């Protein structure tokens, strides 16, 4: 009897050895996974930031009235809205008040916040409790703070004037009713609200500075001011940049605080771009003009953001 030998077909792979993955397919799968994680954020940004921004720009070139909400008709009127806003004297005043309000608030918040951060950087009894108490103005809603300060700064029955009167000083100061005092009063209230935020962020930055540098500075006989100028400020610069940028973004568009304190008055002395947008859109119902002022606010923020990014890029190099 003859036996036949059957030769098994040769295979590209041997038993126990897995197929080598296709690099192209692996890259595609990885890319799909990455986009799967990013897609929700992209959709969120497009729906809640991209669409309103584009819609606001389009509205600034339309004759948009309350009737439009029912008819859907908003004819384009070219640059009429832009011309009327830029020719309005109130727009120039609001722009100047916005710059003064933003610069004054940032300067006061940062300087006092930095001083408190340096102060609390040293350990002492009840330091943590005091830091927690200072956070209260930041935790209270801004409208509530505005209403409380409106009562405090009231010319006739306010606590501040009553206290000044007991000290023999002028107890009849029109903090919120005088065109010369109103903007300063609003700035001071906003400084009070923003100090805790600046202090917390700057305090966190101070905690990251190595203590050995201060010890070496002390051994070299450097004064406190020289140590602060040569060690603290340079190493704190990235944190300072973040604080100023976030402070600018939140301050330049403030609306609720000014409405609660002065409602843009007296005699438009505290009218800013934020309050002017509100007045044009929801008081005078001129939505096209309100969109123009809103676009100017967006443009100012965008220019500031570009300068910030370029400064960081230069610093990184």
């Amino acid at each position: 009897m003859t036996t036949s030998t059957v030769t098994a077909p040769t295979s590209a792979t041997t038993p126990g050895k897995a197929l080598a993955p296709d690099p192209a397919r692996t890259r595609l799968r990885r890319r799909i996974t990455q986009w799967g994680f990013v897609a929700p954020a992209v959709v969120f940004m497009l729906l809640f930031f991209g669409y309103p921004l584009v819609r606001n720009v389009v509205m600034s070139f339309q004759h948009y009235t309350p009737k439009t909400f029912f008819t859907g008709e908003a004819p384009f009127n070219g640059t009429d809205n832009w011309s009327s806003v830029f020719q309005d004297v109130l727009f120039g005043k609001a722009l100047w008040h916005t710059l003064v309000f933003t610069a004054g608030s940032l300067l006061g918040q940062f300087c006092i916040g930095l001083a408190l951060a340096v102060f609390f950087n040293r350990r002492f009894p009840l330091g943590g409790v005091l830091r927690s108490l200072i956070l209260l103005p930041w935790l209270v809603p801004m409208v509530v703070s505005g209403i409380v300060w409106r009562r405090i700064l009231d010319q006739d029955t306010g606590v501040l004037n009553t206290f000044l009167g007991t000290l023999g000083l002028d107890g009849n100061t029109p903090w919120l009713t005088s065109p010369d005092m109103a903007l300063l009063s609003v700035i001071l209230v906003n400084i009070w609200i923003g100090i805790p935020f600046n202090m917390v962020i700057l305090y966190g930055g101070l905690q990251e500075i190595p203590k050995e540098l201060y010890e070496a500075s002390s051994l070299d006989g450097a004064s406190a001011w020289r140590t602060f100028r040569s060690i603290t400020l340079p190493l704190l610069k990235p944190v300072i940049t973040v604080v100023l940028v976030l402070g600018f973004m939140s301050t330049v568009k403030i609306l609720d605080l000014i409405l609660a304190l002065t409602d843009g008055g007296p005699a438009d002395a505290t009218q800013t771009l934020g309050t002017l947008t509100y007045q044009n859109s929801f008081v005078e119902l001129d939505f096209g003009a309100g969109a123009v002022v809103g676009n100017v606010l967006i443009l100012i923020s965008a220019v500031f953001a570009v300068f910030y990014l370029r400064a960081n890029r230069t610093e990184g190099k």
Side-chain angles (χ1 to χ4, degrees), residues 176-284:
L176 299 175
T177 55
S178 169
D180 298 326
M181 293 289 298
L183 184 59
L184 175 62
S185 301
V186 174
I187 291 174
L188 293 176
V189 174
N190 192 50
I191 289 174
W192 177 81
I193 293 174
I195 286 174
F197 172 77
N198 284 257
M199 183 200 71
V200 168
I201 302 300
L202 294 172
Y203 175 80
L206 289 174
Q207 295 295 303
E208 297 299 322
I209 299 178
K211 304 301 180 184
E212 294 80 4
L213 297 177
Y214 293 109
E215 295 174 0
S217 176
S218 177
L219 292 176
D220 291 340
S223 62
W225 169 246
R226 180 61 184 273
T227 301
F228 178 78
R229 188 182 62 184
S230 302
I231 297 178
T232 304
L233 279 182
L235 296 180
L236 205 60
K237 189 175 180 180
V239 180
I240 291 175
T241 303
V242 172
V243 167
L244 292 179
V245 170
L246 294 179
F248 177 87
M249 295 298 183
S250 62
T251 303
V252 74
K253 61 181 179 60
I254 277 185
L255 170 66
D256 41 5
L257 177 65
I258 299 177
L259 290 181
L261 285 172
T262 62
D263 197 21
D268 297 319
T270 57
Q271 197 78 258
T272 62
L273 293 180
T275 59
L276 185 59
T277 303
Y278 174 82
Q279 178 176 318
N280 286 337
S281 299
F282 302 106
V283 177
E284 300 178 2

Side-chain angles (χ1 to χ4, degrees), residues 290-301:
V292 171
V293 182
N295 288 329
V296 172
L297 264 177
I298 295 173
L299 182 61
I300 292 174
S301 301

Side-chain angles (χ1 to χ4, degrees), residues 27 37 77 79 90 98 100 111 139 188 222 254 271 287 308:
R27 287 195 299 269
F37 284 107
N77 58 2
T79 59
L90 185 56
T98 301
V100 174
C111 291
L139 300 176
L188 293 176
I254 277 185
Q271 197 78 258
F287 299 102
Y308 163 69

